[in-house]
Amino acid sequence: MRLVIMGPPGAGKGTQATRLASRLGIPHLSSGELLRDAVAAGSEPGTLVGEIMARGELVPDDIVKRIVAERATAADASDGFILDGFPRNIEQAEALDRAFATRGVELDAVLRIDVDESVLVDRVTERADRARTAGEPVRSDDTPEVLRERIRAYRRETAPLLDLYTARDLLETVDGSRSIDEVTAQLVDAVTARNRAR
Ligand code: AP5
Ligand code: MG
């Protein structure tokens, strides 16, 4: 299956995409992880991309599209994947449509994790605290100030895609305020129903 998972920063996209990917036997493609890896490896105009991410703004489309396309065309993604963090604006959604049309494949569903913005600060603050305690690297954008900018970018650039995918009857919305297991269960139900209808 070819799936997209959407939701504001801290909604649980990465957590849930990892679980779904292992259940469905498809790779989890996170644009944020791919960008963080590229910055860490110094393979991108590292400081430029790293600085943009640390401000909570969107990285330029041409860079993200290239990095995601490289990963999405790898052999293990030929039968499907779950895209997390991409597309993030109309330009990227159109690029994804064009890539699918070229390959003669279709998007099966867009999974939206709906969660009240008030819980997001606590979630990313907790993640940062956990990483600090474990002696692991803390994401440069996991601060309340940068989170606010990420939420603004989500509202401005990404949320409009929800209407687009609703109009195409691809959107499945789950309640992201429930426990991690409960959210997974809702997503599995949604994906199973879509799979049956294929
Ligand atoms: P990206 O890495 O995509 O980050 P994000 O969208 O800001 O979201 P997060 O990864 O912080 O949250 P998540 O929804 O994955 O939640 P998670 O599962 O981690 O993007 C980072 C940056 O890269 C962007 O700002 C931009 O600069 C750039 N970028 C990426 N893609 C781009 C693109 N396409 N175009 C341009 N720029 C791009 O969960 C969060 C925390 O909550 C965890 O601690 C988790 O344990 C906890 N949690 C999860 N679910 C629950 C639950 N149900 N109950 C309680 N706690 C929960
Ligand atoms: Mg994530």
Side-chain angles (χ1 to χ4, degrees):
M1 292 189 92
R2 290 174 183 82
L3 303 167
V4 165
I5 192 158
M6 282 181 66
K13 300 183 295 293
T15 304
Q16 298 298 337
T18 306
R19 289 172 158 222
L20 278 181
S22 94
R23 271 188 191 239
L24 298 170
I26 52 176
H28 165 205
L29 274 55
S30 158
S31 53
E33 293 295 332
L34 292 170
L35 286 165
R36 280 185 285 278
D37 289 349
V39 170
S43 58
E44 274 311 308
T47 48
L48 169 74
V49 173
E51 283 167 12
I52 294 171
M53 293 173 76
R55 289 198 299 268
E57 297 164 9
L58 296 192
V59 172
D61 289 331
D62 53 345
I63 297 177
V64 182
K65 284 192 292 190
R66 177 169 41 78
I67 288 183
V68 172
E70 273 168 20
R71 179 65 190 87
T73 48
D76 68 337
S78 59
D79 286 338
F81 44 73
I82 177 158
L83 274 175
D84 156 12
F86 187 96
R88 232 171 172 101
N89 58 25
I90 297 285
E91 155 95 25
Q92 294 178 14
E94 289 174 353
L96 186 64
D97 286 343
R98 285 194 297 274
F100 280 166
T102 304
R103 292 162 67 188
V105 297
E106 287 186 350
L107 189 55
D108 292 296
V110 174
L111 309 171
R112 174 203 186 187
I113 304 182
D114 185 26
V115 61
D116 196 276
E117 285 179 7
S118 60
V119 307
L120 304 176
V121 178
D122 285 346
R123 288 195 185 173
V124 303
T125 307
E126 271 169 41
R127 176 168 60 195
D129 288 346
R130 239 187 356 255
R132 221 172 272 118
T133 308
E136 290 164 2
V138 178
R139 270 175 59 168
S140 61
D141 56 356
D142 270 353
T143 67
E145 298 72 31
V146 180
L147 178 70
R148 271 196 288 280
E149 180 53 38
R150 288 155 68 195
I151 292 173
R152 273 197 289 274
Y154 176 80
R155 284 200 210 119
R156 192 174 54 230
E157 306 271 345
T158 313
L161 299 183
L162 298 172
D163 288 340
L164 182 91
Y165 290 127
T166 301
R168 289 165 58 178
D169 194 25
L170 285 170
L171 200 72
E172 295 283 352
T173 299
V174 302
D175 177 2
S177 67
R178 314 273 289 273
S179 73
I180 290 176
D181 284 346
E182 285 168 332
V183 178
T184 306
Q186 294 175 70
L187 288 168
V188 168
D189 285 351
V191 168
T192 306
R194 285 274 166 179
N195 213 358
R196 254 195 238 112
R198 281 210 295 174

